[in-house]
Amino acid sequence: MQNKESFSDEELAIRSQQGGMADFEELAKRYWPRLHRFLLTYGNDAFASDITQETLLRAYQKISYYHPKKTFAPWVFTIARNLALNSLKRSKRKAEVTMDDNFSESNQEIENDYEIGIMWSKAKQFLSKTAYGSLRLYYGEELTIKEVAFIMGKSEIAIKVILHRSRKKLAEYFKSNPIKL
Amino acid sequence: MSIKSILQNKPCSEAEKQVIEKLRHEANLEKIASSQSKKHGNEVSQFLDLIKDESKPDRKIKNNNRKSTFYLPRLAFASFSLCIASFLIFKGFEKPEEKKWIQDLSLIEDLVELEFQPDLGFMENINLENFTWEKPSVDLNLILTPIADFGSLFTDIEIVPPFNPYFDPVQNLPNRLIPSEFWDFKENTEEDFENFRDSIPFLNEIFSV
């Protein structure tokens, strides 16, 4: 029997469509940390965990809708982004006090048992959600421009411009505040 | 920075290249760290338990049952609307001005009761065989009257259901008639009263005064 780790994401997704529970488990293990890191764009650690769980649950329930000829990552990242934005809209409607979010942000280091890099932390601080998300998907998750554009709901040109501006902004910041890796 | 270079995705300065390198380097470190993270491991195992639970057949049946209750309010609203619509269609409605004849009728009847033995021969014209005086097993008044009252809140038309128990006795006379007979009776009333008045000489004198 072939080891699950040797399968590509797309192969695992197709096998999951045919009812392979173990194949989806492997997908969940692969995508949990990736989705969690991406979802930190939209909120704190608890928010990212909740939406990651919801995303994978939704992907599991709707795996039959996945198109086998397309790559799996954009599909699942798009679900994650849509769920995150919906959740933010709901919380705005409920007029939740943002103090809770700030409090959780400050405790992020304690909640996570691994550290987010300084560059990424600063990027989150200075960039918009769209810019940080695009940067995370392109440089962090190594997706293509086309895939990033699909996930973020923008044109490829818009994503290129966003990435360029983000790089420039970060370069200017780190020029005046140099850091060592 | 030219638009062309942006569209070709070329990092233009050394500073930007360094930023990209650092971002990629940190992202790789994060990947390694998160793959060894116990917290993520626990969360993933919890999630896997959840989907295993979700895929159990018992769970699916429960979910289906929960979904079916969602249609109850809709069903209740639809049947309520149907009741109102059918009531308005079959029982009709009447403008308040058209009730004037009922007042005339009651005035004359009062007069007759006080001074004369009424000759109610005109009542023979009414087909009494079609009256249903028996009390029905389910009193529709209890259902239709609140609906009629509710319906009249939204229109300036006064709904006059023949089943209304609060009608005065004269109006209540055709209580159990079917609608067509009720309206026939109403149309012939004035003529019947003229005949009735003519048959009693005293009444002619009173009306002429």
Side-chain angles (χ1 to χ4, degrees), chain A residues 36-37 40 44-46 48-49 104 107-116, chain B residues 34 37-40 43:
Chain A
H36 187 272
R37 282 196 297 272
L40 284 173
N44 58 29
D45 181 67
S49 294
S104 303
N107 286 351
Q108 190 172 312
E109 298 295 324
I110 301 165
E111 287 178 15
N112 262 331
D113 55 357
Y114 69 92
E115 283 188 9
I116 302 292
Chain B
S34 65
S37 165
K38 285 180 185 175
K39 182 175 169 286
H40 279 180
E43 285 173 342

Side-chain angles (χ1 to χ4, degrees), chain B residues 46-82:
Chain B
Q46 279 173 11
F47 169 72
L48 294 175
D49 290 341
L50 180 77
I51 59 168
K52 277 173 192 168
D53 190 39
E54 188 79 13
S55 60
K56 282 179 185 172
D58 296 348
R59 175 91 177 178
K60 279 181 181 171
I61 289 163
K62 278 180 188 172
N63 282 345
N64 287 340
N65 286 341
R66 202 181 304 149
K67 274 179 187 173
S68 66
T69 58
F70 178 69
Y71 293 99
L72 277 177
R74 287 182 181 183
L75 192 68
F77 180 74
S79 53
F80 177 71
S81 307
L82 197 66

Side-chain angles (χ1 to χ4, degrees), chain A residues 21 24-25 28-29 32-33 36-37 45 49 53 56-57 60-61 111-120 135-136 138-140 142 145 157 160-161 164 167-168 170-171 174 179 181, chain B residues 1 5-13 15-16 18-28 30-40 43-44 46-48 50-52 54-55:
Chain A
M21 184 74 184
F24 192 82
E25 282 181 24
K29 281 175 193 168
W32 188 282
H36 187 272
R37 282 196 297 272
D45 181 67
S49 294
Q53 180 170 318
L56 287 172
L57 188 63
Y60 173 70
Q61 288 166 341
E111 287 178 15
N112 262 331
D113 55 357
Y114 69 92
E115 283 188 9
I116 302 292
I118 301 167
M119 291 288 288
W120 287 108
L135 213 66
R136 174 60 83 175
Y138 188 67
Y139 294 115
E142 294 171 351
I145 291 283
I157 293 169
K160 283 179 183 178
V161 172
H164 166 71
R167 283 195 306 263
K168 201 174 175 185
L170 286 174
F174 287 112
I179 54 158
L181 289 174
Chain B
M1 177 63 56
S5 64
I6 293 169
L7 297 181
Q8 285 172 347
N9 202 31
K10 284 181 182 174
C12 294
S13 66
E16 283 181 38
Q18 281 182 2
V19 166
I20 293 165
E21 276 178 27
K22 285 173 185 173
L23 285 173
R24 283 188 169 145
H25 178 71
E26 282 190 358
N28 285 332
E30 279 176 19
K31 278 178 193 171
I32 295 163
S34 65
S35 65
Q36 294 166 351
S37 165
K38 285 180 185 175
K39 182 175 169 286
H40 279 180
E43 285 173 342
V44 172
Q46 279 173 11
F47 169 72
L48 294 175
L50 180 77
I51 59 168
K52 277 173 192 168
E54 188 79 13
S55 60

